Amino acid sequence: MIAFKRSFCCLLLLLGWASIASAQLKPPVIGYYVETETWSDPLEALGTLRADESVTLSATVTDTIAEINFDDGEQVERGRLLVRLEDAEEQALLRAAQAITDERRNASDRASQLQQRNLAARADVEDTQSQLRQAQADAQALEARLENYRIHAPFSGRIGFRDVSVGTLVTPGMALVTLDKLDVMKLDFTVPAVFLGRLSAGLSLSATTAAYPDEVFRGDVASIGTRIDPVSRSVSVRAELTNPDLKLRPGMLMEVIVQQRVRDALVLPEAAIQPSGNRHFVMVIQQQENAPRLERREVAIGERRSGEVEVLEGISEGDLVVIHGLQLAREGQEVRLLGVADDSTNIRSLLEADR
């Protein structure tokens, strides 16, 4: 009886050990469903920002400043009077020209009335009309000259620093103030000419700058240069970025990533790829009645980006592949599936739940 009990206990221990060994032979893995995502080949470059419109306003005549109608950094609308130069002399000349115009208009009217009553010659009427037109032209010329004494904003934008004061004597070409249109920015950069065939207007891009390290500014390629630099063998590209908050400023250096060859592709985390020489493999989890079993498949990969790889062939959308636990995974082996990682569930949370 005692021998029978000992034999029975040994049998139970053996069955327990077999059960534990069987569990240990099923390595824990975490899966990932193959998905189709939008993919593009990034083209990196360095670019410099320019304002959409930019001008340095200056005078075309020599005189002193009589009036300044802006503050540093102010947003102004198109047509606003910014600077007025002293124009008292020109105003007096204009009033004299207008008086002469009125006098000659009256003379022309009297001559016309007399000619209608046959009391004046036709030649006298034509002479007075000619003198009137000359007086009007002189007045218009003085009005045009007066416009040179008033500097208006040619477009809506933001004013720079004011470096002049009322009473300052200005001369033609002297810089008075800068004006920049900043709601849209131009981003100029160069890329090697070998990528010319992949570039086209309308390609989307993203840009970052050290001034705002946590922000990404997006835009589109607006135009491509018509010439290749014979020294650097590069082509100039201009993009446009929206700047609604006016954070970007002309002259900023930006890191640019152009999204070229946009397409739909099967995408996997790099952790799912097993390299072997020049070949690449993945472990596909085959769902079976007893337990999930592994199937090793060779895949052809394309481009890579941060943490992800493009798969050209070898798997299909919806396949479940191993992304964690590949060290112990073998072809045809049964595994213990801890869960599936996705946007809402990461590997760490699945591992903690299995403890």
Side-chain angles (χ1 to χ4, degrees):
M1 188 66 180
I2 294 174
F4 175 76
K5 289 181 178 180
R6 288 178 178 176
S7 300
F8 183 73
C9 290
C10 290
L11 180 60
L12 290 178
L13 288 174
L14 289 173
L15 291 175
W17 290 340
S19 169
I20 294 173
S22 175
Q24 290 177 346
L25 290 176
K26 295 180 180 180
V29 297
I30 294 176
Y32 179 88
Y33 283 111
V34 180
E35 298 179 349
T36 299
E37 299 181 11
T38 300
W39 185 276
S40 62
D41 300 335
L43 178 59
E44 300 181 359
L46 291 176
T48 302
L49 281 176
R50 295 179 53 196
D52 186 37
E53 300 287 350
S54 181
V55 66
T56 299
L57 299 175
S58 59
T60 59
V61 296
T62 300
D63 220 309
T64 58
I65 296 177
E67 184 181 352
I68 297 177
N69 295 318
F70 64 87
D71 295 320
D72 291 350
E74 185 178 357
Q75 182 73 22
V76 298
E77 299 300 321
R78 177 182 179 182
R80 174 170 166 178
L81 177 63
L82 302 178
V83 178
R84 183 178 66 82
L85 303 182
E86 186 58 55
D87 58 358
E89 182 179 354
E90 283 69 24
Q91 290 282 7
L93 292 174
L94 177 61
R95 288 193 295 270
Q98 290 172 341
I100 294 174
T101 301
D102 293 338
E103 179 186 351
R104 293 184 177 177
R105 181 180 293 109
N106 294 333
S108 176
D109 292 341
R110 287 193 300 269
S112 297
Q113 293 173 2
L114 292 173
Q115 197 272 335
Q116 290 175 358
R117 290 181 291 179
N118 296 322
L119 298 177
R122 179 68 180 173
D124 294 338
V125 175
E126 292 176 351
D127 288 342
T128 56
Q129 290 178 346
S130 176
Q131 292 172 359
L132 172 61
R133 289 194 295 270
Q134 181 180 0
Q136 290 174 335
D138 292 340
Q140 291 173 354
L142 286 170
E143 289 176 352
R145 284 181 57 188
L146 273 173
E147 285 300 314
N148 295 331
Y149 289 77
R150 294 175 175 84
I151 299 175
H152 299 268
F155 50 83
S156 299
R158 188 172 292 276
I159 290 290
F161 289 132
R162 179 168 69 89
D163 295 326
V164 293
S165 302
V166 173
T168 301
L169 178 65
V170 300
T171 56
M174 177 179 174
L176 301 180
V177 67
T178 59
L179 178 63
D180 296 302
K181 185 175 182 291
L182 301 178
D183 56 341
V184 175
M185 302 295 293
K186 295 176 181 177
L187 179 60
D188 293 340
F189 57 95
T190 59
V191 298
V194 294
F195 296 108
L196 183 60
R198 301 183 182 182
L199 296 175
S200 62
L203 286 179
S204 61
L205 58 84
S206 59
T208 57
T209 177
Y212 306 103
D214 298 327
E215 294 192 45
V216 178
F217 300 89
R218 303 191 182 279
D220 301 309
V221 173
S223 58
I224 301 170
T226 57
R227 298 181 179 182
I228 304 297
D229 190 313
V231 178
S232 63
R233 303 299 178 187
S234 60
V235 60
S236 298
V237 181
R238 173 167 292 176
E240 291 185 352
L241 305 178
T242 56
N243 188 28
D245 299 327
L246 305 184
K247 291 182 177 180
L248 301 178
R249 300 298 173 89
M252 272 185 172
L253 178 68
M254 302 202 77
E255 298 180 7
V256 187
I257 300 179
V258 180
Q259 307 299 334
Q260 54 175 342
R261 295 176 56 199
V262 180
R263 59 196 182 275
D264 292 331
L266 297 177
V267 180
L268 279 179
E270 285 186 322
I273 304 297
Q274 289 181 308
S276 177
N278 295 328
R279 305 167 68 186
H280 300 85
F281 298 88
V282 297
M283 286 292 187
V284 180
I285 302 174
Q286 300 289 350
Q287 300 286 357
Q288 297 184 357
E289 294 182 0
N290 298 330
R293 190 178 295 274
L294 298 181
E295 176 188 354
R296 190 170 188 241
R297 291 187 193 174
E298 183 177 359
V299 295
I301 65 173
E303 301 294 331
R304 295 175 182 263
R305 63 189 182 193
S306 179
E308 295 180 323
V309 61
E310 176 190 20
V311 180
L312 303 178
E313 57 183 32
I315 55 175
S316 303
E317 184 176 7
D319 286 345
L320 183 61
V321 301
V322 177
I323 63 168
H324 181 80
L326 286 172
Q327 296 84 353
L328 302 176
R330 300 292 181 270
E331 166 77 16
Q333 187 178 29
E334 291 185 353
V335 293
R336 183 164 58 92
L337 183 61
L338 301 183
V340 178
D342 52 28
D343 294 337
S344 59
T345 307
N346 56 33
I347 295 176
R348 181 176 181 179
S349 62
L350 291 173
L351 292 175
E352 290 177 350
D354 186 56
R355 291 178 181 175

